[in-house]
Amino acid sequence: MEFDLLKLQRILQDYGVLINFAGRFTQEIIEELGDAVKKYLETEAISQNETYNVFSVFIEQTQNIKNYGVLKRGSPHGDRIANSGIITIGKTPDGYFVCAGNIIENNDVSALTAKLDEISRLDKAGLKKLFKEQMKKELPPGSLGAGLGLINMARRATRPLHYSVEKLDDSLLFFTLKVNV
């Protein structure tokens, strides 16, 4: 099968994808992509608030993927997980979206989806309250964050967070999170 770049470009355009990256997320790559995203959004005729929201969700999504890869470094699936990240920023008539995905281990999915389901049930006031409560909690040893990223993304979103999980094999799943901003 020959690679058809024109076909890929048309698919990306059909889905409204403006920016796409797939591969291992490092801090350096996130910073470089972040600069490119920020410069791209500054060329769009959108408000500073909208630019900030898209950029903020982009950073949260990429940091989550990078941190999960770091957390799973010692796993037998560590390299596969670390290299599985993908993120897109797109535009629809209703606004922008940031959609990201990566491979996760099967035993991590229930805690993640339970957290997302809890967040999705809250309105803006409930999200603000949960954010404040989470900030007051002590971080567990070895934690890579305070658990604020998902809440923060939900606060910036114009619709409830949308996720999907697709089984790859008995141990691994592909997790996707779409945030409309």
Side-chain angles (χ1 to χ4, degrees):
M1 183 171 78
E2 190 167 323
F3 181 70
D4 187 340
L5 192 57
L6 181 59
K7 185 177 180 181
L8 177 61
Q9 184 188 42
R10 287 183 181 142
I11 291 169
L12 294 173
Q13 288 174 339
D14 288 347
Y15 284 97
V17 173
L18 304 170
I19 298 169
N20 180 55
F21 176 82
R24 184 181 292 253
F25 286 85
T26 64
Q27 191 60 39
E28 294 79 19
I29 287 174
I30 292 170
E31 289 172 12
E32 291 291 328
L33 287 171
D35 285 343
V37 166
K38 197 183 299 180
K39 287 177 183 164
Y40 182 86
L41 292 172
E42 288 170 356
T43 65
E44 294 275 300
I46 59 174
S47 70
Q48 280 187 326
N49 192 41
E50 198 171 20
T51 298
Y52 179 76
N53 286 339
V54 172
F55 181 75
S56 178
V57 170
F58 167 82
I59 293 297
E60 292 289 352
Q61 295 255 46
T62 55
Q63 288 289 342
N64 285 347
I65 292 171
K66 181 191 72 94
N67 289 344
Y68 189 74
V70 169
L71 189 67
K72 295 300 175 178
R73 209 177 269 159
S75 162
H77 310 289
D79 274 346
R80 189 170 173 201
I81 290 169
N83 291 318
S84 69
I86 183 167
I87 189 158
T88 61
I89 296 176
K91 188 176 182 181
T92 69
D94 299 329
Y96 288 87
F97 64 86
V98 182
C99 189
N102 61 306
I103 293 175
I104 64 173
E105 291 183 347
N106 194 18
N107 55 353
D108 294 327
V109 73
S110 60
L112 177 60
T113 57
K115 183 74 174 175
L116 284 165
D117 291 340
E118 175 192 3
I119 290 170
S120 293
R121 285 191 294 270
L122 299 174
D123 61 10
K124 294 292 182 188
L127 289 168
K128 185 176 182 180
K129 181 180 174 194
L130 181 61
F131 188 85
K132 286 182 178 179
E133 290 171 0
Q134 198 68 30
M135 289 210 28
K136 293 177 185 172
K137 289 183 179 176
E138 286 192 32
L139 293 179
S143 174
L144 294 173
L148 300 172
L150 295 175
I151 301 167
N152 200 25
M153 285 190 281
R155 292 178 72 191
R156 300 192 184 292
T158 56
R159 295 186 206 163
L161 303 181
H162 176 77
Y163 69 86
S164 64
V165 178
E166 186 173 333
K167 183 177 179 178
L168 299 176
D169 58 37
D170 290 340
S171 305
L172 300 172
L173 308 161
F174 192 84
F175 173 78
T176 302
L177 178 63
K178 184 177 182 183
V179 182
N180 290 287
V181 287

